[in-house]
Amino acid sequence: MFISPMLLETAAAPFSDSRYIFEPKIDGHRLIYSQQNGIVRLFTRHNNDCTRQYPEISSVTFPHDIVLDGEIACVDPTTGVSDFESVMSRFQAKKADKIARLVAELPATFVVFDVLSYKGEDLRSLPLMERKSILASLTLPSPSFGVVPYIEGAGEALFEQAEARGMEGVVAKRKESTYVSRRSASWQKVINWTYADVFITGYRKTEFGWLAGVPNESGKMRPSGIIELGATPTHKKAFYGVSKTLITGEDREYVYVEPRIRARVKMRNWTKAGLLRSPVFTEFIV
């Protein structure tokens, strides 16, 4: 049984509030675990079945039917932090032999933060703290399951810890919130952004996108991703006005410009391939 998950608003900054609990944000992908009549199925937040990708999670059962909400994580043993690229490797694997190999190389953990149904009873109308109490009473079926920890009130202190450990951020949840299958201000995320200064080296001809580059060790510009978010109409107008005099060439998709225009972006992190992950334009550097 798929239940469309409750989604988060974005908070402007870390905060503390006694009406909220605060959880570390797990850098993975959302998972709905559904056990009905002893049969387990796993779903992404968009209702894509991913049961076969995670046999270490789908092959074990609880004593009673249950629906859980949480996150798939692949924890780096050296840092104790989930590695998003490893999670994506697991999610994208489709062939049985590759899945079996990755179970050993990149074991997945289902980090649970909510229980939506238990023993045939829909729990979504209960306050969050009652659902948390039920979740805490469960015996997890294997070491591939965990429960996300939380603290009450002290969101800023938890965010400082997340920053120090290089984690994705913090999630704030109102204690009395019921579970609704939509985005809600009762649940908020505070992202631990990383910032970088890049050069704009070109732009898409169709939908908006600025090519970003950074100098390598020898000083030569290397591609570092595409900036698709954050630029206002004023920013775009200023860029296209200046870039007309900097054009060096083009192909079917892009127009290329001299790397003269610098921009600051915020992002989740650098990928292992040296690319910006989810970059958002913040300002030009002049």
Side-chain angles (χ1 to χ4, degrees):
M1 177 176 69
F2 172 72
I3 293 176
S4 185
M6 186 166 175
L7 304 178
L8 304 108
E9 298 279 358
T10 300
F15 66 96
S16 298
D17 191 319
S18 61
R19 298 171 297 176
Y20 287 78
I21 63 167
F22 296 86
E23 302 169 341
K25 193 172 190 307
I26 308 300
D27 198 3
H29 80 73
R30 197 75 173 267
L31 188 83
I32 300 294
Y33 173 102
S34 173
Q35 178 184 318
Q36 303 294 311
N37 300 316
I39 298 173
V40 175
R41 293 184 69 192
L42 310 178
F43 302 94
T44 71
R45 59 175 278 192
H46 297 296
N47 196 16
N48 294 314
D49 192 307
C50 58
T51 308
R52 64 194 299 265
Q53 281 100 311
Y54 306 109
E56 67 266 62
I57 294 162
S58 61
S59 63
V60 293
T61 57
F62 288 82
H64 306 282
D65 285 355
I66 193 168
V67 179
L68 299 167
D69 188 5
E71 198 90 4
I72 286 287
C74 287
V75 178
D76 184 330
T78 61
T79 64
V81 176
S82 180
D83 179 69
F84 183 75
E85 290 180 72
S86 296
V87 174
M88 287 297 97
S89 294
R90 287 298 310 269
F91 176 70
Q92 291 165 0
K94 299 293 188 278
K95 295 182 179 179
D97 59 341
K98 184 173 184 179
I99 291 170
R101 176 171 57 81
L102 288 176
V103 167
E105 294 178 359
L106 300 172
T109 301
F110 179 39
V111 187
V112 186
F113 49 69
D114 216 328
V115 54
L116 312 185
S117 175
Y118 186 49
K119 296 182 179 179
E121 182 181 355
D122 188 339
L123 306 179
R124 288 175 288 175
S125 62
L126 296 179
L128 172 64
M129 299 313 288
E130 288 190 35
R131 302 198 308 275
K132 287 286 191 183
S133 179
I134 295 170
L135 178 59
S137 72
L138 300 177
T139 299
L140 301 179
S142 85
S144 295
F145 288 70
V147 175
V148 69
Y150 66 86
I151 61 172
E152 299 187 34
E156 290 160 302
L158 184 61
F159 187 81
E160 287 179 6
Q161 293 182 31
E163 278 187 309
R165 295 186 61 193
M167 299 182 72
E168 192 186 11
V170 166
V171 174
K173 297 177 178 178
R174 287 189 71 105
K175 293 178 179 178
E176 79 278 10
S177 59
T178 59
Y179 192 97
V180 294
S181 294
R182 54 177 169 79
R183 198 170 298 280
S184 170
S186 293
W187 287 16
Q188 299 184 47
K189 58 186 175 184
V190 186
I191 300 299
N192 176 25
W193 294 106
T194 297
Y195 290 82
D197 295 342
V198 301
F199 289 90
I200 300 177
T201 60
Y203 55 90
R204 282 199 189 110
K205 290 182 174 181
T206 53
E207 72 271 21
F208 174 73
W210 288 338
L211 297 177
V214 293
N216 60 19
E217 293 178 356
S218 63
K220 187 176 180 181
M221 199 64 57
R222 68 166 180 83
S224 59
I226 301 178
I227 303 167
E228 298 178 315
L229 302 172
T232 66
T234 301
H235 291 132
K236 294 175 185 179
K237 182 178 180 181
F239 169 78
Y240 292 119
V242 173
S243 67
K244 290 177 183 177
T245 63
L246 302 175
I247 293 173
T248 60
E250 62 181 278
D251 56 25
R252 281 181 55 187
E253 294 184 71
Y254 301 102
V255 175
Y256 301 96
V257 300
E258 293 179 38
R260 300 277 191 88
I261 302 171
R262 296 183 71 200
R264 179 158 292 142
V265 297
K266 62 181 183 180
M267 58 177 175
R268 297 298 179 96
N269 51 35
W270 289 97
T271 70
K272 293 172 185 175
L275 299 176
L276 306 161
R277 180 180 161 207
S278 306
V280 178
F281 173 88
T282 61
E283 62 182 340
F284 290 118
I285 301 172
V286 296

